[in-house]
Amino acid sequence: MLTPDEQAEFLAAIQSVRRVAFRQLAEKPYPANIMRIVPQIQHGVDDLFAPSNRAGKEIACRAGCSFCCHVRVEAQQPEIDYIAHQLRQLPVAEFAHIVEHMRIGLAEKQRLATTEPFQRPPCVLLENQQCMIYENRPAVCRKGHSIDAQQCADGASTIPQHLDIILKAEALMQGVSAAYADAGLPADTKEFTEALLVTLTIES
């Protein structure tokens, strides 16, 4: 629970990001404008995990640790378009492998939704317990973390995280989301992998 002062600071941070992001979005037409703003937000979230921001607590997440990759991930179309653009810069064979892996994974996910509705299938972008697009993953995935991997493995209802990092990341994400709406860009959220595959297919 945030104190009134913390709540006010959080809301002020959102508005600050909103103003800056809107100015940047207004400088160029879509989609050129998102080629600048999306990586800024993604890198901004990454920077929150610098050692100086961890308050002495080590982040427990490691390569191959994919416990959090079994939850629904949502993103907005501007970020999805940016990620699709980045993936298209990959070697042809690697790009084709990712797309086919997604197609197969989403088909299996739909099957499980009918036959085993209470299952939480892994993200269709996981391969050998590692993210296939890690360098281009959305901000919401970058925000996720734990300081106790065992609690993740045990399926704990609450995962210990750095509250200050979560709040700062949320301020960045909510601020740019509001800026998308202010700029008349699509600001509704979509299931990330389904929307990404559609975007990649449409643009093929």
Side-chain angles (χ1 to χ4, degrees):
M1 181 69 70
L2 300 180
T3 67
D5 286 346
E6 290 171 335
Q7 179 72 10
E9 183 179 355
F10 175 63
L11 295 176
I14 292 174
Q15 294 306 314
S16 177
V17 173
R18 180 180 188 173
R19 289 190 295 270
V20 172
F22 176 73
R23 286 198 299 269
Q24 293 185 2
L25 289 170
E27 291 175 358
K28 295 181 180 181
Y30 194 84
N33 52 4
I34 65 168
M35 294 302 154
R36 177 184 179 189
I37 192 71
V38 172
Q40 283 185 345
I41 298 303
Q42 291 182 343
H43 296 156
V45 174
D46 289 345
D47 289 344
L48 295 174
F49 291 91
S52 59
N53 294 321
R54 296 179 186 173
K57 296 180 180 179
E58 187 66 28
I59 301 298
C61 310
R62 296 290 183 271
C65 170
S66 59
F67 298 110
C68 64
C69 301
H70 290 68
V71 298
R72 179 182 174 91
V73 172
E74 295 189 342
Q76 294 167 298
Q77 195 62 48
E79 186 175 26
I80 294 167
D81 287 343
Y82 172 79
I83 293 172
H85 174 269
Q86 293 300 101
L87 294 180
R88 289 193 173 282
Q89 311 311 306
L90 296 172
V92 173
E94 183 178 353
F95 174 78
H97 175 65
I98 290 173
V99 171
E100 184 60 18
H101 193 278
M102 292 178 69
R103 285 197 176 108
I104 294 172
L106 285 170
E108 175 64 10
K109 185 177 178 180
Q110 291 174 355
R111 185 192 70 79
L112 286 174
T114 301
T115 60
E116 302 178 55
F118 298 107
Q119 285 280 354
R120 290 173 53 182
C123 175
V124 300
L125 284 164
L126 276 182
E127 185 175 50
N128 298 323
Q129 301 305 312
Q130 298 199 40
C131 179
M132 301 176 75
I133 64 163
Y134 187 79
E135 296 301 323
N136 294 298
R137 68 199 189 284
V140 66
C141 294
R142 296 167 187 265
K143 178 190 72 171
H145 69 282
S146 173
I147 56 177
D148 188 339
Q150 188 58 51
Q151 290 200 39
C152 299
D154 293 341
S157 58
T158 302
I159 302 301
Q161 298 178 309
H162 290 290
L163 178 59
D164 56 332
I165 290 178
I166 292 296
L167 290 176
K168 290 174 182 176
E170 278 295 321
L172 286 171
M173 294 164 56
Q174 290 187 33
V176 78
S177 176
Y180 289 155
D182 293 341
L185 301 182
D188 57 312
T189 59
K190 305 175 180 181
E191 199 286 321
F192 172 64
T193 54
E194 293 175 3
L196 178 60
L197 183 59
V198 168
T199 301
L200 291 171
T201 303
I202 289 174
E203 294 181 357
S204 297

